[in-house]
Amino acid sequence: MQVEDIIRVNELSKKFGAFYAVNRISFNIHRGEILGFLGPNGAGKTTTIKMINGLLRITSGNVFVKGLNVKKQIKQIKAFTGYMSQKFSLYPLLTSLENIEFFGGISGLSRKEIKKFQQQIEDTIPIEILKQKIMDIPPGIKQQVALFTCLMPDPDIIFLDEPTSGVDPKNRRDFWMQIYKLKKAGKTILVTTHNLDEAEYADRIIIIHNGKIIRQGEPSSLLKNENMDSMEDLFKKAVTDDETN
Amino acid sequence: MLKLESLCKSYGSIKAVDNISLSVAPESLTILAGADGAGKSTLLKMILGLVKKDRGEIYLDQEPIGSDFSKITSITGYMPEQFSLYTDLSVEENMNFFSDIQQVPRRRREDLKQRLLEKTGMLPFKKRRAGALSGGMKQKLALSTILLSSPDIIILDEPTTGVDPLSRIEFFNIIEDLKHEGKTIIVSTPYLDEAEKGDDIVFIKNGKIIKQGSIQSLKENFPARLFRILPEGNIFEAIESIRADDEITDNVYMRGRYIKYMQGGTAGFIDRIPAKEVKKVSPTLEDIYLYYERNIHAG
């Protein structure tokens, strides 16, 4: 199968003061894949995602999304990308339906289109819950609503930053089934997680540490190459190898 | 050492803590496991009187404490989820500041500070500004500050949430050391892998206890046989196709590249799952959680 690089990251860096949060990293994201982005806290994961999404200024290097330059054409890029941030930024005092209306409005959807999205979510979540304030609903549902808002209007590329943090084991699995459905619908997905068992659900993973890429590849081949049984072990080895070097 | 009896707390129509009873043995590590919003923080705050209980009683060394929290707070070190450190002060200055607050005698201070920072591995970073520490290191400094009062009981509310796997392991090693020194510890966490280090565990969801007990006995008395199956092909596709089979759909779930199959009773359907490899395995806490949570839904 022909691999098409839908995102190209080239020598990307971000400097805060004298500190390089991201240090000349290069990688590509293939169209239609789930790419798992792993690394310790402060490794540069969120910083990288924010730069790709035009939310943080790039210190040096380049990012091209579908051939468009993030530094110059971010408005066009935003039209086909969705971003679910850490701690999903829904408005706690609004209900789920109101949040959808709000985020739909921001995405420039018409009233009619927003209505359609609201009806869609009513198919999966009971209406009584959708009419409750976000602050009062369980985290598993909050997470579903957050994912839903990031899928408006209909992005090709989806960024999920720690979507399963603080979510119970059952909901974590249900959430991954949804991610897989999005992949089957042709979406490209970049996801970060601290739950290493989930890394195996990705087509490829990248491990970053101190702003640099220390491993990348298919989970199964990485495990095989390093003769490791679990992602936990691989992660531990990759980080300690890097620290002792 | 500590016993909670029928604790309840509601906010409007929401039952944040719904009739929770549990016992904490001295010098043990008790894990409070549950997702965000399960009621863990509310429960921990109720133990210290930071949230007023609607109903129930707390016993300290067999004595009901009623509404007098002075004794329990004086012997407990509590690290809230959103702990506070002074980011403009160095590690050492933070320790000095909290020593003042906790009225650590001057003559003991230097020695204690040194010892605690050494224990938590923070000694090499003594001069570093707290604001410049990584997430995991901040956590370790916050833990060091609450140890200054030499508490008998330590309550840590989600100390490792959002912390990477390696720092989490390190943090729990410190907690284990503290237990071996004789501390009684209660830790809440959403991560079941690290919970394996505990003596006792309480699984809570929507304010209620799903299951509780000693981790060892929960494992030994796990009521199902558990298999780990490496499926043919893609894990998601395998799960989808199995889910179409009514008789086994509730008994399977994915874990990394494997399918886990819980076989209750005698009739097994394992041969219905196309597999490259099948292995009988012992349950992890995650398996135990999924088993009892599922049973609650079924019942």
Side-chain angles (χ1 to χ4, degrees):
Chain A
M1 200 173 67
Q2 189 77 27
V3 174
E4 180 198 340
D5 293 327
I6 196 164
I7 295 181
R8 285 183 290 127
V9 175
N10 192 9
E11 297 274 308
L12 186 68
S13 294
K14 178 71 195 179
K15 217 173 155 184
F16 294 109
F19 170 71
Y20 275 98
V22 174
N23 198 351
R24 295 179 67 184
I25 62 171
S26 301
F27 62 93
N28 295 335
I29 305 181
H30 309 327
R31 179 188 287 277
E33 77 171 341
I34 301 175
L35 179 69
F37 214 44
L38 316 176
N41 296 116
K45 302 186 297 290
T46 301
T47 307
T48 304
I49 293 180
K50 285 189 169 165
M51 283 193 283
I52 300 175
N53 276 280
L55 298 168
L56 260 184
R57 189 186 287 273
I58 293 170
T59 304
S60 64
N62 279 301
V63 179
F64 294 94
V65 181
K66 284 196 189 174
L68 299 168
N69 187 334
V70 167
K71 285 182 192 162
K72 296 177 189 142
Q73 293 156 297
I74 191 66
K75 270 219 172 99
Q76 286 133 279
I77 294 171
K78 286 224 162 123
F80 54 80
T81 54
Y83 172 52
M84 179 168 155
S85 63
Q86 256 176 49
K87 314 258 172 233
F88 4 111
S89 47
L90 296 170
Y91 287 87
L93 290 171
L94 299 182
T95 67
S96 299
L97 290 175
E98 287 164 348
N99 266 286
I100 288 167
E101 192 179 336
F102 176 80
F103 285 103
I106 288 186
S107 316
L109 296 183
S110 70
R111 244 171 216 289
K112 216 170 132 193
E113 287 167 315
I114 291 174
K115 194 89 219 144
K116 219 177 83 197
F117 274 106
Q118 287 175 329
Q119 276 159 356
Q120 250 180 51
I121 199 167
E122 284 170 30
D123 293 341
T124 45
I125 302 172
I127 183 81
E128 311 87 72
I129 295 179
L130 291 172
K131 284 185 172 167
Q132 285 173 16
K133 285 186 186 129
I134 289 293
M135 55 189 276
D136 294 335
I137 66 175
I141 294 183
K142 223 181 281 181
Q143 174 211 40
Q144 280 185 46
V145 176
L147 176 64
F148 194 84
T149 59
C150 116
L151 296 179
M152 294 190 303
D154 186 23
D156 300 334
I157 307 170
I158 302 160
F159 298 90
L160 307 169
D161 198 359
E162 288 190 32
T164 55
S165 168
V167 175
D168 72 58
K170 174 153 190 316
N171 283 316
R172 284 208 284 130
R173 288 171 168 77
D174 291 347
F175 192 79
W176 271 96
M177 288 307 286
Q178 284 190 46
I179 295 179
Y180 183 66
K181 278 189 188 133
L182 292 170
K183 174 196 150 89
K184 282 223 293 200
K187 315 282 183 198
T188 304
I189 299 145
L190 183 145
V191 55
T192 74
T193 182
H194 281 321
N195 293 308
L196 293 175
D197 57 309
E198 296 175 356
E200 296 195 46
Y201 304 143
D203 297 306
R204 284 192 309 138
I205 59 167
I206 289 180
I207 305 179
I208 67 171
H209 185 224
N210 293 335
K212 285 186 181 288
I213 293 176
I214 53 173
R215 290 287 189 287
Q216 62 177 314
E218 287 172 25
S220 56
S221 14
L222 283 175
L223 288 172
K224 208 167 145 197
N225 290 347
E226 308 205 26
N227 208 6
M228 294 275 164
D229 193 44
S230 74
M231 268 298 157
E232 280 88 350
D233 295 341
L234 177 74
F235 183 87
K236 237 185 279 181
K237 179 167 185 294
V239 173
T240 17
D241 280 359
D242 190 53
E243 273 169 2
T244 46
N245 272 337
Chain B
M1 172 133 202
L2 186 67
K3 201 174 112 190
L4 315 180
E5 196 179 82
S6 312
L7 288 185
C8 292
K9 178 73 193 178
S10 295
Y11 295 104
S13 62
I14 293 169
K15 289 181 177 168
V17 169
D18 192 0
N19 203 18
I20 288 191
S21 300
L22 65 100
S23 291
V24 177
E27 301 182 26
S28 71
L29 172 54
T30 301
I31 308 280
L32 214 53
D36 287 351
K40 305 187 297 294
S41 298
T42 309
L43 182 65
L44 295 178
K45 285 179 183 161
M46 285 164 86
I47 297 174
L48 296 164
L50 298 168
V51 162
K52 205 167 166 254
K53 55 185 193 277
D54 294 341
R55 220 155 46 74
E57 184 56 88
I58 296 165
Y59 298 82
L60 185 60
D61 295 326
Q62 272 101 51
E63 293 287 322
I65 67 167
S67 54
D68 178 13
F69 290 90
S70 56
K71 169 98 194 287
I72 191 161
T73 50
S74 72
I75 59 164
T76 304
Y78 167 60
M79 182 168 145
E81 201 181 342
Q82 308 287 339
F83 55 82
S84 45
L85 291 170
Y86 288 85
T87 50
D88 288 332
L89 298 183
S90 70
V91 166
E92 187 171 24
E93 287 163 341
N94 268 286
M95 289 296 275
N96 291 340
F97 175 79
F98 285 99
S99 301
D100 283 339
I101 290 189
Q102 290 166 11
Q103 297 172 350
V104 179
R106 292 233 163 242
R107 57 193 161 73
R108 285 190 51 217
R109 194 170 289 187
E110 278 311 306
D111 176 49
L112 183 64
K113 204 168 66 185
Q114 191 82 5
R115 215 155 39 78
L116 292 178
L117 290 178
E118 194 166 5
K119 192 198 306 269
T120 53
M122 289 301 291
L123 204 52
F125 311 102
K126 209 161 75 166
K127 300 285 177 209
R128 193 178 288 188
R129 216 165 45 80
L133 298 172
S134 72
M137 289 206 269
K138 279 186 190 141
Q139 231 84 10
K140 288 194 282 186
L141 174 57
L143 177 64
S144 313
T145 64
I146 70 159
L147 295 176
L148 283 165
S149 64
S150 309
D152 296 330
I153 301 175
I154 298 173
I155 295 181
L156 308 171
D157 193 4
E158 297 207 17
T160 54
T161 294
V163 173
D164 66 77
L166 286 182
S167 307
R168 266 158 46 195
I169 293 170
E170 206 183 325
F171 195 85
F172 262 80
N173 287 339
I174 300 171
I175 293 176
E176 267 199 311
D177 288 345
L178 290 169
K179 183 187 87 173
H180 291 132
E181 284 169 24
K183 309 281 187 197
T184 303
I185 307 167
I186 308 175
V187 185
S188 72
T189 178
Y191 301 114
L192 293 176
D193 51 351
E194 65 191 19
E196 302 272 351
K197 297 235 176 193
D199 298 306
D200 295 297
I201 189 158
V202 181
F203 293 109
I204 61 175
K205 187 180 179 179
N206 300 335
K208 285 198 183 74
I209 293 181
I210 295 181
K211 188 73 187 171
Q212 62 181 318
S214 94
I215 292 176
Q216 200 188 338
S217 79
L218 286 174
K219 288 189 172 180
E220 284 169 6
N221 302 316
F222 189 64
R225 297 211 295 158
L226 190 71
F227 295 93
R228 193 188 78 178
I229 299 160
L230 188 64
E232 301 273 2
N234 180 289
I235 177 80
F236 295 101
E237 297 291 343
I239 284 280
E240 285 275 81
S241 71
I242 296 166
R243 281 200 173 163
D245 186 335
D246 280 345
E247 278 173 310
I248 50 176
T249 182
D250 289 335
N251 297 338
V252 291
Y253 49 89
M254 54 189 187
R255 163 83 201 183
R257 61 191 177 281
Y258 297 107
I259 291 173
K260 287 268 185 103
Y261 171 61
M262 289 191 283
Q263 180 191 311
T266 47
F269 299 105
I270 199 160
D271 49 350
R272 292 194 196 167
I273 304 170
K276 269 199 246 176
E277 176 199 306
V278 178
K279 197 177 163 192
K280 188 167 181 300
V281 289
S282 317
T284 61
L285 286 174
E286 192 178 60
D287 298 317
I288 293 171
Y289 176 91
L290 286 164
Y291 179 84
Y292 288 105
E293 194 217 19
R294 182 199 62 161
N295 276 21
I296 278 176
H297 287 303

